[in-house]
């Protein structure tokens, strides 16, 4: 049963005398108790989608509902059932972790006693006891995110929005936060998660919607998406730039999809069926043709590959 | 899955009062955490009182009175008008930090953050007014009127600063940059408060500046405060403009106008703003 629903959302901004279509007919469907990953580069419309669904902005057209409640017509009812954690860790830096959480509880109108109790519970749950009485300003990035996330959970909301929860964190903090989020979602909360990282969507989401230029361009489980763009890739880095064209056509003969060229202009890669065998064959062929290689290997597809395959352009071509 | 926690407050008025208090408390916490900011906001008015008094007192002749008595109302008004800009820069900063986004996803009253901001500034303004009055007393300033009149003078200053905070809050949310707000404060409000009867009698100003000073609402605030404190020098009556002849009416009108126009505008703006 669909719990979060968005239909044909359109939102345009005018920025620098230019009309930007942040959302261009975006539709989304999140079944109850599942985690939907919204995957896309900066400027694809992820945050705008979250802002519409969390009542922060109104779309130009389209409809949205959560558990049958219309987001645009009944924003006050929506606010009582959602928790939101943003990419900027929107906590008050001057207040302590405890003060931040207690304040959020009071603003959900839980009453003084319940708000205090809940703040203490969350501090323990998120392993922030040491930091509870220090101003957030002195916290590490990972701790700040955890306070922000705890703030989103104050009322045990049935719906949780996590907008790029780990962007800008170091790998260790990211792993820590992933664990926290995984524990949460096993509890049955319905989650909409946005991310730029395929791996993050892979780890946390039951199903992924790839979005680009304000539209969902592909949807499925992480395995389905990877299958769609080819599971493994062979990547070769050429010594001489003048060999690139010839290298591309040689590799194309062995590959299952388009050959893409990396940003350096000399690294070529393509999806293949049997990566090990193809790599051996490629090394042999390239040696016979006297094309010198800097590097050669197999790798899993990245977000760049997904984009290249699905949209024909690289992630960084999309203007923010 | 644990069940969702339900609110204990339902009525709109109770929510507005509760949320307004929580948002005000947030700003009081912040003042307590950064006492140096609070202390500096009190040192500056003391410095202004002493500087203007000792630098200008010898040079500016006030007919039928002494300069210290004349000056104080001007310093009071300038200080509270300037410090109201804090409401603007603080709203811009909250917006930039994404805290406004968080607040807007909560089921709280849309007026609460603004109530908290403007009341927070009222606390600062009341404190700096007390400090300036004490400093004034030390250097010889006296209230030469009745207690009710003096009390009305103090209330007038505080209400004016409170109303002006709502104006600055709207500007802060529209401009979205704390730095620009501080520059606006310096480039617009500093001259606005100077081109008045704050430091010199407006009749001593050259032609166009004199007209501006006489029609400047800040001059009306200063004139009425001077009258209410009994500090109007015998030789310097109010200016010729209607505003100067009816300062109290002017200040009340300005106050009501600012509140009636800018409270709804600010709340409406708050309901639609979001970071970036």
């Amino acid at each position: 049963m669909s719990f979060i629903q968005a239909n044909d959302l359109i939102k345009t901004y005018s920025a620098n005398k230019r009309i930007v279509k942040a959302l261009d007919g975006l539709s989304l469907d999140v079944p109850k108790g599942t985690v939907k990953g919204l995957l896309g580069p900066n400027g694809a419309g992820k945050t705008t989608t979250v802002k519409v669904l969390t009542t922060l902005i109104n779309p130009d057209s389209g409809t949205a509902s959560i558990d049958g409640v219309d987001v645009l017509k009944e924003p006050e009812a929506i606010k009582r059932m959602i928790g939101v954690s943003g990419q900027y860790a929107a906590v008050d830096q001057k207040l302590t972790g405890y003060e931040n959480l207690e304040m959020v509880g009071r603003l959900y109108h839980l009453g003084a006693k319940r708000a205090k109790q809940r703040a203490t519970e969350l501090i323990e749950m998120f392993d922030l006891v040491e930091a509870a009485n220090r101003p957030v300003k002195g916290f590490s990035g990972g701790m700040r995110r955890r306070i922000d996330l705890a703030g989103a959970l104050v009322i045990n909301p049935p719906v949780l929005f996590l907008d790029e929860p780990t962007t800008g964190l170091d790998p260790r903090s990211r792993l820590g936060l992933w664990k926290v989020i995984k524990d949460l979602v096993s509890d049955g909360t319905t989650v909409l998660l946005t991310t730029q990282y395929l791996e993050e969507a892979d780890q946390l989401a039951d199903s992924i919607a790839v979005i680009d230029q304000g539209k969902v361009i592909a949807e499925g489980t992480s395995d389905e998406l990877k299958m769609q763009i080819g599971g493994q890739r062979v990547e070769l880095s050429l010594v001489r730039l003048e060999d690139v064209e010839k290298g591309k056509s040689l590799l194309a003969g062995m590959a299952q999809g388009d050959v893409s060229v990396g940003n350096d202009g000399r690294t070529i890669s393509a999806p293949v069926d049997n990566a090990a065998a193809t790599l051996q064959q490629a090394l042999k062929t390239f040696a016979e043709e006297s094309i010198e290689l800097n590097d050669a290997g197999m790798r899993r597809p990245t977000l760049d590959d997904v984009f290249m395959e699905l949209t024909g352009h690289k992630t960084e071509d999309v203007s923010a | 899955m644990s069940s969702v926690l339900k609110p204990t407050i339902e009525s709109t008025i109770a929510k507005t009062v509760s949320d307004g208090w929580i948002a005000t408390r947030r700003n009081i916490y912040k003042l307590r955490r950064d006492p140096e900011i609070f202390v500096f906001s009190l040192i500056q008015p003391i410095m202004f009182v002493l500087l203007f008094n000792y630098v200008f007192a010898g040079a500016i002749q006030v007919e039928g009175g002494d300069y210290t008595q004349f000056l104080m109302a001007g310093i009071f008004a300038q200080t509270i008008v300037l410090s109201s800009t804090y409401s603007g820069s603080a709203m811009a900063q909250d917006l930039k930090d994404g805290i406004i986004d968080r607040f807007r996803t909560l089921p709280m009253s849309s007026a609460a953050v603004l109530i908290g901001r403007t009341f927070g500034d009222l606390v600062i303004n009341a404190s700096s007014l007390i400090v300036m009055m004490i400093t004034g007393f030390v250097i010889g300033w006296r209230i030469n009127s009745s207690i009710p009149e003096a009390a009305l003078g103090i209330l007038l200053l505080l209400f004016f600063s409170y109303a002006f905070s709502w104006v600055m809050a709207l500007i802060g949310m529209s401009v979205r940059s704390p730095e620009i707000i501080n520059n606006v404060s310096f480039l617009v409000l500093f001259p606005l408060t100077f081109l008045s009867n704050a430091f010199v009698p407006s009749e001593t100003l050259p032609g166009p500046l004199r007209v501006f000073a006489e029609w400047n609402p800040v001059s009306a605030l200063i004139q009425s405060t001077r009258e209410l404190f009994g500090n109007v020098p015998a030789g310097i009556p109010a200016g010729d403009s209607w505003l100067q002849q009816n300062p109290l009416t002017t200040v009340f009108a300005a106050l009501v106008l600012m509140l009636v126009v800018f409270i709804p505008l600010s709340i409406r703006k708050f309901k639609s703003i979001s970071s970036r």
Side-chain angles (χ1 to χ4, degrees), chain A residues 47 51 55-56 79 84 88 90 92 94 99 102 106-109 114 135 148 154-156 158 187-188, chain B residues 1 3-5 7-8 15 19 22 25-26 29-30 33-34 98 102-107 274-276:
Chain A
T47 297
K51 282 186 172 181
T55 77
L56 285 177
K79 288 175 186 184
V84 188
Y88 299 110
D92 195 319
K94 297 264 176 70
E99 284 167 348
E102 193 263 352
R106 293 297 294 274
L107 295 174
Y108 271 114
H109 307 121
R114 198 83 183 81
D148 188 56
V154 167
I155 56 160
N156 271 328
D187 203 25
Chain B
M1 183 179 139
S3 60
V4 56
L5 302 183
T8 56
K15 273 185 196 168
D19 297 347
I22 298 298
R25 196 189 62 172
R26 164 183 176 233
Y29 281 163
K30 290 169 99 144
R33 193 125 307 137
D34 275 333
R102 144 104 352 138
F103 284 141
R104 285 198 52 232
T105 63
L106 299 177
S274 179
S275 60
R276 291 189 304 168

Side-chain angles (χ1 to χ4, degrees), chain B residues 222-251:
Chain B
I222 295 165
Q223 187 63 33
S224 25
T225 319
R226 237 170 230 156
E227 286 176 7
L228 289 166
F229 287 152
N231 290 151
V232 183
I236 306 171
D240 299 331
S241 72
W242 188 90
L243 261 66
Q244 281 291 295
Q245 290 297 320
N246 304 281
L248 211 54
T249 315
T250 304
V251 175

Side-chain angles (χ1 to χ4, degrees), chain A residues 88-99:
Chain A
Y88 299 110
V91 287
D92 195 319
Q93 310 266 337
K94 297 264 176 70
L95 302 191
T96 65
Y98 176 85
E99 284 167 348

Side-chain angles (χ1 to χ4, degrees), chain A residues 238 243-255 259 268 285-286 289 291:
Chain A
L238 311 186
D243 288 340
V244 169
E245 281 312 312
K246 192 172 173 197
K248 271 171 76 179
S249 65
L250 287 173
L251 187 58
M254 311 168 206
V259 178
I268 58 176
T285 313
F286 277 60
E289 297 288 335
I291 299 176

Side-chain angles (χ1 to χ4, degrees), chain B residues 85-98 100 117 168-169 171-181 273:
Chain B
T85 55
Y86 192 59
S87 277
S89 56
M91 286 307 289
Q93 188 65 48
D94 277 356
L95 192 57
K96 202 171 154 189
D97 291 343
I100 300 283
R117 185 68 267 149
M168 291 310 296
I171 296 176
M173 288 185 286
S174 310
V175 171
R176 294 166 162 258
S177 151
E179 293 79 19
I180 292 180
I181 291 293
I273 48 168

